[in-house]
Amino acid sequence: MPASAAPSDEDLMLAYAAGDAAAFDALYARHKGGVYRYLLRQCRQGGVADEMFQDVWMNLIRARASYAPTAKFTTWLYRIAHNRLIDHYRACGEVMLVSADDDAHADAVAAIPADRRDEPELRAGNHELGARLKSAVAALPAAQREAFLLQQEGGLSLAEIAELTGVGVETIKSRLRYALNKLRSDLSDLRERQR
């Protein structure tokens, strides 16, 4: 590996298991955003997502000594997150996974300074687009939404999503195809406006 190349996630996890705390910091920095968004969009409750997020990283810390790179690190990490979600829903008696609408973070996003070229109409349009997209993702059936979020937020491959969710690759392809078709259909009027 060239000296300038960043270490892989698997190498970092092995280094962390061997006692390198900086390796954990690097893994956390790489994956904290995607894992948190995945949890938040599935449970819709910021406080619950925060708690599950902490549990995921604590589970990773507890499992470091037994970690073996038999799969891609992100598959292993999102398996921990997925299992934590399932535990949460079992404890709550909820059967379906749901998607978050992130309204709790709208003020923080709105406080980010805009580019001077951003016109109010463009910002309003972007806000509408974001709201429409969140609504369309939330309206997906749970299995399709989960596959879509694991691919988009986790960057997982079809095989990794299939392994994580316990279904075949063809089933994941089908779920993603149906999800994308439904999103395109639900948002088709936006394309017409752009023409």
Side-chain angles (χ1 to χ4, degrees), residues 95-174:
V95 179
M96 293 182 62
L97 297 176
V98 295
S99 180
D101 57 5
D102 289 321
D103 285 339
H105 303 288
D107 292 338
V109 171
I112 297 171
D115 188 302
R116 288 190 308 222
R117 293 173 290 169
D118 275 352
E119 296 297 322
E121 297 83 17
L122 180 61
R123 290 197 334 250
N126 287 343
H127 180 73
E128 177 191 355
L129 177 61
R132 289 280 309 280
L133 181 59
K134 286 190 282 188
S135 178
V137 170
L140 290 172
Q144 292 175 22
R145 183 175 52 248
E146 181 177 40
F148 179 78
L149 290 173
L150 285 169
Q151 184 184 52
Q152 296 302 310
E153 293 294 346
L156 300 183
S157 70
L158 298 175
E160 292 164 341
I161 297 168
E163 179 185 333
L164 191 140
T165 57
V167 298
V169 171
E170 292 302 317
T171 301
I172 294 302
K173 284 182 186 178
S174 178

Side-chain angles (χ1 to χ4, degrees), residues 22-190:
F24 174 83
D25 294 341
L27 285 170
Y28 182 78
R30 283 182 189 177
H31 299 288
K32 66 182 178 179
V35 170
Y36 184 76
R37 287 187 303 271
Y38 170 70
L39 294 168
L40 182 62
R41 288 180 177 145
Q42 290 287 59
C43 78
R44 299 181 92 168
Q45 301 168 16
V48 173
D50 291 345
E51 182 181 324
M52 288 192 294
F53 179 76
Q54 294 300 321
D55 289 347
V56 167
W57 290 101
M58 289 305 298
N59 287 340
L60 179 142
I61 290 168
R62 282 187 213 103
R64 72 184 178 274
S66 62
Y67 174 77
T70 56
K72 189 173 167 187
F73 174 81
T74 51
T75 303
W76 183 74
L77 177 61
Y78 279 88
R79 161 84 58 199
I80 294 171
H82 173 80
N83 289 344
R84 182 60 187 93
L85 274 167
I86 298 302
D87 291 345
H88 166 72
Y89 290 117
R90 284 183 182 145
C92 294
E94 296 180 32
V95 179
M96 293 182 62
L97 297 176
V98 295
S99 180
D101 57 5
D102 289 321
D103 285 339
H105 303 288
D107 292 338
V109 171
I112 297 171
D115 188 302
R116 288 190 308 222
R117 293 173 290 169
D118 275 352
E119 296 297 322
E121 297 83 17
L122 180 61
R123 290 197 334 250
N126 287 343
H127 180 73
E128 177 191 355
L129 177 61
R132 289 280 309 280
L133 181 59
K134 286 190 282 188
S135 178
V137 170
L140 290 172
Q144 292 175 22
R145 183 175 52 248
E146 181 177 40
F148 179 78
L149 290 173
L150 285 169
Q151 184 184 52
Q152 296 302 310
E153 293 294 346
L156 300 183
S157 70
L158 298 175
E160 292 164 341
I161 297 168
E163 179 185 333
L164 191 140
T165 57
V167 298
V169 171
E170 292 302 317
T171 301
I172 294 302
K173 284 182 186 178
S174 178
R175 288 176 181 175
L176 287 170
R177 184 176 56 252
Y178 285 124
L180 291 173
N181 286 341
K182 181 159 180 16
L183 291 172
R184 282 186 191 111
S185 173
D186 290 352
L187 302 172
S188 64
D189 63 304
L190 297 175

